mmCIF file of all heavy atoms in Angstrom:
data_model
loop_
_atom_site.group_PDB
_atom_site.id
_atom_site.type_symbol
_atom_site.label_atom_id
_atom_site.label_comp_id
_atom_site.label_asym_id
_atom_site.label_seq_id
_atom_site.Cartn_x
_atom_site.Cartn_y
_atom_site.Cartn_z
ATOM 1 N N CYS E 394 55.172 73.661 -11.062
ATOM 2 C CA CYS E 394 55.178 74.383 -9.814
ATOM 3 C C CYS E 394 55.802 73.540 -8.763
ATOM 4 O O CYS E 394 55.251 72.565 -8.350
ATOM 5 C CB CYS E 394 53.741 74.768 -9.414
ATOM 6 S SG CYS E 394 53.654 75.707 -7.857
ATOM 7 N N PRO E 395 57.046 73.840 -8.262
ATOM 8 C CA PRO E 395 57.638 73.074 -7.214
ATOM 9 C C PRO E 395 56.813 73.196 -5.908
ATOM 10 O O PRO E 395 56.119 74.104 -5.683
ATOM 11 C CB PRO E 395 59.026 73.711 -7.030
ATOM 12 C CG PRO E 395 59.220 74.506 -8.304
ATOM 13 C CD PRO E 395 57.914 74.935 -8.772
ATOM 14 N N ARG E 396 56.955 72.087 -5.102
ATOM 15 C CA ARG E 396 56.156 71.994 -3.879
ATOM 16 C C ARG E 396 56.467 73.144 -2.888
ATOM 17 O O ARG E 396 55.599 73.672 -2.252
ATOM 18 C CB ARG E 396 56.316 70.606 -3.267
ATOM 19 C CG ARG E 396 55.433 70.422 -2.000
ATOM 20 C CD ARG E 396 55.615 69.040 -1.506
ATOM 21 N NE ARG E 396 54.784 68.845 -0.332
ATOM 22 C CZ ARG E 396 54.703 67.709 0.357
ATOM 23 N NH1 ARG E 396 55.421 66.659 -0.029
ATOM 24 N NH2 ARG E 396 53.948 67.601 1.437
ATOM 25 N N ASP E 397 57.777 73.390 -2.728
ATOM 26 C CA ASP E 397 58.133 74.370 -1.690
ATOM 27 C C ASP E 397 57.838 75.780 -2.119
ATOM 28 O O ASP E 397 57.806 76.664 -1.280
ATOM 29 C CB ASP E 397 59.650 74.251 -1.350
ATOM 30 C CG ASP E 397 60.510 74.320 -2.633
ATOM 31 O OD1 ASP E 397 59.890 74.338 -3.741
ATOM 32 O OD2 ASP E 397 61.715 74.313 -2.457
ATOM 33 N N ARG E 398 57.622 75.975 -3.399
ATOM 34 C CA ARG E 398 57.269 77.362 -3.787
ATOM 35 C C ARG E 398 55.921 77.459 -4.485
ATOM 36 O O ARG E 398 55.655 78.398 -5.246
ATOM 37 C CB ARG E 398 58.386 77.858 -4.767
ATOM 38 C CG ARG E 398 59.748 78.005 -4.134
ATOM 39 C CD ARG E 398 60.630 78.795 -5.052
ATOM 40 N NE ARG E 398 60.818 78.172 -6.328
ATOM 41 C CZ ARG E 398 61.815 77.258 -6.537
ATOM 42 N NH1 ARG E 398 62.620 76.930 -5.591
ATOM 43 N NH2 ARG E 398 61.903 76.716 -7.759
ATOM 44 N N CYS E 399 54.990 76.432 -4.279
ATOM 45 C CA CYS E 399 53.691 76.457 -4.923
ATOM 46 C C CYS E 399 52.764 77.386 -4.205
ATOM 47 O O CYS E 399 52.594 77.290 -2.994
ATOM 48 C CB CYS E 399 53.088 75.038 -4.966
ATOM 49 S SG CYS E 399 51.517 74.962 -5.859
ATOM 50 N N PRO E 400 52.155 78.286 -4.908
ATOM 51 C CA PRO E 400 51.285 79.225 -4.208
ATOM 52 C C PRO E 400 49.938 78.597 -3.859
ATOM 53 O O PRO E 400 49.249 79.168 -3.024
ATOM 54 C CB PRO E 400 51.100 80.348 -5.254
ATOM 55 C CG PRO E 400 51.298 79.671 -6.575
ATOM 56 C CD PRO E 400 52.287 78.578 -6.326
ATOM 57 N N CYS E 401 49.558 77.437 -4.416
ATOM 58 C CA CYS E 401 48.236 76.847 -4.132
ATOM 59 C C CYS E 401 48.320 76.072 -2.826
ATOM 60 O O CYS E 401 49.369 75.791 -2.304
ATOM 61 C CB CYS E 401 47.790 75.976 -5.267
ATOM 62 S SG CYS E 401 48.897 74.602 -5.625
ATOM 63 N N HIS E 402 47.144 75.585 -2.321
ATOM 64 C CA HIS E 402 46.994 74.820 -1.083
ATOM 65 C C HIS E 402 47.267 73.382 -1.413
ATOM 66 O O HIS E 402 46.339 72.597 -1.434
ATOM 67 C CB HIS E 402 45.647 75.076 -0.452
ATOM 68 C CG HIS E 402 45.385 76.496 -0.115
ATOM 69 N ND1 HIS E 402 45.928 77.174 0.962
ATOM 70 C CD2 HIS E 402 44.589 77.426 -0.744
ATOM 71 C CE1 HIS E 402 45.492 78.393 0.988
ATOM 72 N NE2 HIS E 402 44.689 78.604 -0.063
ATOM 73 N N HIS E 403 48.480 73.053 -1.665
ATOM 74 C CA HIS E 403 48.814 71.647 -2.076
ATOM 75 C C HIS E 403 48.680 70.638 -0.950
ATOM 76 O O HIS E 403 48.224 69.521 -1.187
ATOM 77 C CB HIS E 403 50.239 71.676 -2.637
ATOM 78 C CG HIS E 403 50.533 70.425 -3.433
ATOM 79 N ND1 HIS E 403 51.033 69.268 -2.894
ATOM 80 C CD2 HIS E 403 50.467 70.213 -4.787
ATOM 81 C CE1 HIS E 403 51.166 68.323 -3.845
ATOM 82 N NE2 HIS E 403 50.877 68.935 -5.013
ATOM 83 N N ASP E 404 48.959 71.062 0.266
ATOM 84 C CA ASP E 404 48.901 70.114 1.420
ATOM 85 C C ASP E 404 47.411 69.691 1.689
ATOM 86 O O ASP E 404 47.117 68.476 1.952
ATOM 87 C CB ASP E 404 49.492 70.715 2.655
ATOM 88 C CG ASP E 404 51.000 70.929 2.519
ATOM 89 O OD1 ASP E 404 51.533 70.152 1.713
ATOM 90 O OD2 ASP E 404 51.529 71.746 3.212
ATOM 91 N N GLY E 405 46.508 70.650 1.652
ATOM 92 C CA GLY E 405 45.100 70.325 1.863
ATOM 93 C C GLY E 405 44.520 69.412 0.772
ATOM 94 O O GLY E 405 43.718 68.485 1.045
ATOM 95 N N LEU E 406 44.988 69.658 -0.445
ATOM 96 C CA LEU E 406 44.557 68.800 -1.550
ATOM 97 C C LEU E 406 45.017 67.362 -1.408
ATOM 98 O O LEU E 406 44.301 66.426 -1.661
ATOM 99 C CB LEU E 406 45.006 69.456 -2.881
ATOM 100 C CG LEU E 406 44.586 68.665 -4.170
ATOM 101 C CD1 LEU E 406 43.061 68.650 -4.262
ATOM 102 C CD2 LEU E 406 45.230 69.313 -5.387
ATOM 103 N N LEU E 407 46.256 67.241 -0.954
ATOM 104 C CA LEU E 407 46.819 65.900 -0.783
ATOM 105 C C LEU E 407 46.056 65.179 0.388
ATOM 106 O O LEU E 407 45.832 63.950 0.301
ATOM 107 C CB LEU E 407 48.282 65.956 -0.464
ATOM 108 C CG LEU E 407 49.183 66.373 -1.626
ATOM 109 C CD1 LEU E 407 50.661 66.434 -1.151
ATOM 110 C CD2 LEU E 407 49.071 65.381 -2.764
ATOM 111 N N ARG E 408 45.718 65.868 1.441
ATOM 112 C CA ARG E 408 44.969 65.220 2.495
ATOM 113 C C ARG E 408 43.569 64.736 2.018
ATOM 114 O O ARG E 408 43.123 63.665 2.400
ATOM 115 C CB ARG E 408 44.807 66.174 3.679
ATOM 116 C CG ARG E 408 46.128 66.365 4.503
ATOM 117 C CD ARG E 408 45.799 67.038 5.803
ATOM 118 N NE ARG E 408 45.232 68.316 5.658
ATOM 119 C CZ ARG E 408 45.898 69.495 5.548
ATOM 120 N NH1 ARG E 408 47.243 69.426 5.619
ATOM 121 N NH2 ARG E 408 45.261 70.651 5.407
ATOM 122 N N ASN E 409 42.918 65.604 1.253
ATOM 123 C CA ASN E 409 41.644 65.200 0.745
ATOM 124 C C ASN E 409 41.703 63.979 -0.192
ATOM 125 O O ASN E 409 40.850 63.054 -0.110
ATOM 126 C CB ASN E 409 40.976 66.386 0.025
ATOM 127 C CG ASN E 409 40.601 67.468 0.977
ATOM 128 O OD1 ASN E 409 40.385 67.247 2.173
ATOM 129 N ND2 ASN E 409 40.572 68.717 0.459
ATOM 130 N N VAL E 410 42.712 64.003 -1.065
ATOM 131 C CA VAL E 410 42.899 62.862 -1.959
ATOM 132 C C VAL E 410 43.211 61.598 -1.140
ATOM 133 O O VAL E 410 42.732 60.495 -1.434
ATOM 134 C CB VAL E 410 43.972 63.169 -3.019
ATOM 135 C CG1 VAL E 410 44.291 61.914 -3.814
ATOM 136 C CG2 VAL E 410 43.488 64.246 -3.904
ATOM 137 N N GLY E 411 44.051 61.705 -0.126
ATOM 138 C CA GLY E 411 44.350 60.526 0.698
ATOM 139 C C GLY E 411 43.143 60.023 1.448
ATOM 140 O O GLY E 411 42.961 58.789 1.619
ATOM 141 N N TYR E 412 42.260 60.895 1.896
ATOM 142 C CA TYR E 412 41.055 60.445 2.573
ATOM 143 C C TYR E 412 40.123 59.673 1.601
ATOM 144 O O TYR E 412 39.555 58.623 1.937
ATOM 145 C CB TYR E 412 40.319 61.653 3.129
ATOM 146 C CG TYR E 412 39.009 61.310 3.780
ATOM 147 C CD1 TYR E 412 38.954 60.715 4.996
ATOM 148 C CD2 TYR E 412 37.804 61.622 3.113
ATOM 149 C CE1 TYR E 412 37.719 60.369 5.595
ATOM 150 C CE2 TYR E 412 36.580 61.334 3.665
ATOM 151 C CZ TYR E 412 36.547 60.672 4.924
ATOM 152 O OH TYR E 412 35.322 60.375 5.475
ATOM 153 N N ILE E 413 40.026 60.247 0.422
ATOM 154 C CA ILE E 413 39.144 59.559 -0.619
ATOM 155 C C ILE E 413 39.754 58.204 -0.945
ATOM 156 O O ILE E 413 39.012 57.193 -1.074
ATOM 157 C CB ILE E 413 38.986 60.459 -1.834
ATOM 158 C CG1 ILE E 413 38.194 61.686 -1.475
ATOM 159 C CG2 ILE E 413 38.310 59.677 -2.973
ATOM 160 C CD1 ILE E 413 38.156 62.713 -2.615
ATOM 161 N N ALA E 414 41.026 58.141 -1.097
ATOM 162 C CA ALA E 414 41.694 56.815 -1.401
ATOM 163 C C ALA E 414 41.509 55.820 -0.288
ATOM 164 O O ALA E 414 41.247 54.637 -0.520
ATOM 165 C CB ALA E 414 43.187 57.054 -1.738
ATOM 166 N N GLY E 415 41.576 56.307 0.995
ATOM 167 C CA GLY E 415 41.377 55.403 2.090
ATOM 168 C C GLY E 415 39.948 54.855 2.130
ATOM 169 O O GLY E 415 39.742 53.666 2.406
ATOM 170 N N CYS E 416 38.958 55.749 1.889
ATOM 171 C CA CYS E 416 37.587 55.272 1.832
ATOM 172 C C CYS E 416 37.356 54.267 0.729
ATOM 173 O O CYS E 416 36.661 53.245 0.897
ATOM 174 C CB CYS E 416 36.645 56.479 1.646
ATOM 175 S SG CYS E 416 36.526 57.564 3.098
ATOM 176 N N LEU E 417 38.030 54.486 -0.405
ATOM 177 C CA LEU E 417 37.891 53.561 -1.537
ATOM 178 C C LEU E 417 38.498 52.227 -1.201
ATOM 179 O O LEU E 417 37.945 51.154 -1.524
ATOM 180 C CB LEU E 417 38.537 54.162 -2.840
ATOM 181 C CG LEU E 417 38.428 53.366 -4.091
ATOM 182 C CD1 LEU E 417 36.945 53.144 -4.437
ATOM 183 C CD2 LEU E 417 39.168 53.990 -5.214
ATOM 184 N N ARG E 418 39.629 52.247 -0.504
ATOM 185 C CA ARG E 418 40.290 50.970 -0.143
ATOM 186 C C ARG E 418 39.419 50.210 0.897
ATOM 187 O O ARG E 418 39.290 49.035 0.824
ATOM 188 C CB ARG E 418 41.677 51.226 0.423
ATOM 189 C CG ARG E 418 42.702 51.529 -0.645
ATOM 190 C CD ARG E 418 44.112 51.431 -0.042
ATOM 191 N NE ARG E 418 44.318 52.433 1.003
ATOM 192 C CZ ARG E 418 44.719 53.647 0.793
ATOM 193 N NH1 ARG E 418 44.973 54.110 -0.423
ATOM 194 N NH2 ARG E 418 44.883 54.492 1.826
ATOM 195 N N ARG E 419 38.865 50.940 1.868
ATOM 196 C CA ARG E 419 38.004 50.286 2.835
ATOM 197 C C ARG E 419 36.754 49.711 2.144
ATOM 198 O O ARG E 419 36.263 48.628 2.516
ATOM 199 C CB ARG E 419 37.610 51.251 3.953
ATOM 200 C CG ARG E 419 38.771 51.569 4.909
ATOM 201 C CD ARG E 419 38.271 52.285 6.129
ATOM 202 N NE ARG E 419 37.659 53.597 5.789
ATOM 203 C CZ ARG E 419 38.423 54.718 5.683
ATOM 204 N NH1 ARG E 419 39.722 54.740 5.936
ATOM 205 N NH2 ARG E 419 37.776 55.860 5.401
ATOM 206 N N HIS E 420 36.206 50.462 1.209
ATOM 207 C CA HIS E 420 35.026 49.973 0.490
ATOM 208 C C HIS E 420 35.368 48.727 -0.331
ATOM 209 O O HIS E 420 34.597 47.754 -0.341
ATOM 210 C CB HIS E 420 34.507 51.064 -0.406
ATOM 211 C CG HIS E 420 33.297 50.674 -1.232
ATOM 212 N ND1 HIS E 420 32.107 50.381 -0.676
ATOM 213 C CD2 HIS E 420 33.158 50.445 -2.602
ATOM 214 C CE1 HIS E 420 31.217 50.021 -1.595
ATOM 215 N NE2 HIS E 420 31.833 50.053 -2.750
ATOM 216 N N ARG E 421 36.524 48.765 -0.950
ATOM 217 C CA ARG E 421 36.945 47.585 -1.713
ATOM 218 C C ARG E 421 37.212 46.378 -0.799
ATOM 219 O O ARG E 421 36.847 45.239 -1.131
ATOM 220 C CB ARG E 421 38.191 47.886 -2.547
ATOM 221 C CG ARG E 421 37.923 48.746 -3.758
ATOM 222 C CD ARG E 421 39.245 48.984 -4.476
ATOM 223 N NE ARG E 421 38.981 49.760 -5.744
ATOM 224 C CZ ARG E 421 39.943 50.116 -6.559
ATOM 225 N NH1 ARG E 421 41.201 49.813 -6.307
ATOM 226 N NH2 ARG E 421 39.631 50.804 -7.637
#
Side-chain angles (χ1 to χ4, degrees):
C394 180
R396 181 177 180 179
D397 54 353
R398 295 193 299 272
C399 184
C401 59
H402 301 283
H403 196 273
D404 292 336
L406 182 62
L407 289 178
R408 285 195 300 270
N409 293 335
V410 171
Y412 176 75
I413 294 173
C416 291
L417 183 61
R418 283 194 299 272
R419 288 191 297 272
H420 179 67
R421 286 181 176 178

